[in-house]
């Protein structure tokens, strides 16, 4: 594969990204700082055969997770049959009693799933996390590919790469599938949200209206958008980028200033489609992750195609004993955290810290999982070889589809396994070969 032209134009590429406002906000020490999301011109290359395998595994996984969400909020048969412990499900911070006995339009909960994978040095792909609430990141490879084509059209004439510029169309089709009659809206908390660039870019590309909460009102269980000239327009579907707990102050956190009062009433009455559904956090709880292979077998009667990272639940006594004994070789994750937060490596702890964590795991076994550290592959970057993951985007509408692209994130610290954008990582284009 020839990408020499992109290498020569790395500086120009990052300058163009900055000009377009491709930034990512980071909260550190209670301060919001916006910075350029660094782009590396050396692409990640995935063969057609490899992508076909990933596609099948991702569709299988997301279909099972959607079935789990419907089940757990209605019949909870998977709990009754003892596949997942009752206490484990209903004690999840992501489980919302307000969603019990409610099924969204067309039975879809996770319309957009961001599944984080790494490829081990053994060549196998492992799923690290399932993100079913508000997964971000699709806009970055979208705009990167667009700008790369401007800088070096010849690169994409000479290489057989699947065109990834169809994401906006896929997003629109997904929103249209649950639209109840009205405009499509992307709901943003506002300019100071970490992923505001993405909100505005996806709205522009998909032909949706970008709205802040104050521009939406609910009357008679119907959502309306108030335009700049005070025109009232019915809303049929909302891709909401506001967390569950802040979405409706009349249902969840009453102090929320970024919610839309009574939007849950419209949602429950099937008068508006919400993308993603409310209450999905129970499925991307890192503890529930442990059970996804069992979900696949339970709901689909199939063997899982993709591997989970080897995971232990301190909730189970046998697993707790394994974790306590092998803590220096494991990574511990808080089940409710995201963005690379709440992740600690046993190898980085001294004896005093290890002792503290062993006591903490005994006291709060439901709060944490422990995983074996996968020695995943390094990808070449202009800063040297770095650890990298892949966030794949799976969209569920009339069918379940995997976007032939993805967000490849890499650590900018050569000694770190943490690649998250919120931790200062960079990104690169992901080339899916067409043959």
């Amino acid at each position: 594969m020839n990408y020499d032209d992109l290498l020569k134009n790395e500086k120009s590429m990052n300058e163009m990204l900055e000009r377009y406002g491709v930034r990512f906000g980071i909260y550190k020490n209670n301060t919001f700082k916006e910075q350029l999301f660094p782009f590396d011109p050396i692409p990640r290359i995935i063969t057609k055969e490899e992508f076909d395998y990933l596609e099948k595994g991702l569709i299988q996984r997301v279909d099972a997770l959607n079935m789990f969400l419907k089940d757990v909020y209605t019949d909870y048969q998977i709990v009754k049959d003892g596949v997942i412990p009752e206490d484990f499900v209903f004690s999840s911070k992501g489980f919302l009693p307000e969603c019990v006995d409610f099924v969204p339009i067309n039975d879809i909960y996770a319309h957009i799933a961001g599944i984080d994978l790494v490829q081990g040095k053994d060549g196998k792909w492992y799923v690290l996390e399932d993100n079913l609430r508000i997964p971000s990141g699709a806009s970055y490879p979208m705009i990167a590919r667009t700008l790369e084509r401007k800088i070096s059209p010849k690169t994409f004439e000479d290489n057989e790469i699947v065109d990834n510029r169809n994401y906006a169309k896929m997003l629109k089709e997904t929103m249209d599938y649950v639209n109840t009659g009205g405009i499509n809206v992307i709901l943003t908390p506002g300019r100071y949200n970490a992923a505001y660039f993405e909100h505005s870019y996806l709205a522009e590309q998909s032909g949706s209206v970008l709205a802040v909460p104050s521009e939406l009102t609910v009357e008679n269980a119907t959502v309306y958008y108030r335009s700049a000239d005070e025109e009232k327009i019915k809303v049929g579907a909302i891709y909401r980028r506001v967390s569950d707990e802040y979405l409706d102050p009349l249902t969840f956190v009453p102090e929320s200033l970024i919610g839309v009062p009574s939007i849950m009433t419209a949602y429950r009455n099937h008068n508006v489609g919400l993308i993603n559904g409310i209450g999905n956090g129970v499925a991307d709880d890192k503890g529930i992750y442990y059970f996804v292979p069992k979900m696949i077998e339970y709901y689909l009667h199939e063997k899982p195609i993709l591997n989970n990272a080897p995971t232990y639940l301190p909730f189970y006594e046998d697993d707790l004993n394994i974790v306590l004994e092998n803590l220096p070789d494991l990574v511990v994750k808080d089940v409710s955290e995201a963005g690379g937060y709440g992740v600690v490596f046993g190898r980085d702890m001294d004896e005093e810290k290890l002792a503290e964590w062993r006591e903490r795991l005994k006291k709060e076994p439901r709060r944490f999982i422990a995983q074996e550290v996968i020695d995943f592959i390094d990808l070449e970057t202009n800063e040297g070889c770095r650890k990298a993951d892949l966030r794949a985007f799976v969209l569920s509408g009339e069918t379940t589809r995997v976007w032939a692209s993805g967000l490849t994130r890499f650590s900018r610290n050569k000694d770190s396994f943490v690649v998250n954008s919120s931790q200062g990582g960079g990104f690169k284009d992901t080339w899916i070969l067409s043959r």
Side-chain angles (χ1 to χ4, degrees), residues 76-93:
Y76 49 95
Q77 197 62 46
I78 197 168
V79 175
K80 293 174 183 174
D81 288 342
V83 179
I84 303 177
E86 181 176 3
D87 289 348
F88 204 87
V89 173
F90 300 129
S91 65
S92 170
K93 288 184 179 178

Side-chain angles (χ1 to χ4, degrees), residues 41 77 149 177-178 220 257:
Q77 197 62 46
R149 284 179 173 275
Y177 188 63
V178 296
N220 299 318
L257 299 177

Side-chain angles (χ1 to χ4, degrees), residues 26 92 124 131 176 195 205 268 286-287 291 326 337 371 384 417 434:
I26 295 178
S92 170
K124 293 179 182 176
N131 299 283
D176 287 346
Q205 295 296 307
R268 287 194 189 104
K286 290 182 177 65
F291 297 99
N326 297 282
E337 293 283 359
Q371 293 179 326
F417 279 62
S434 58

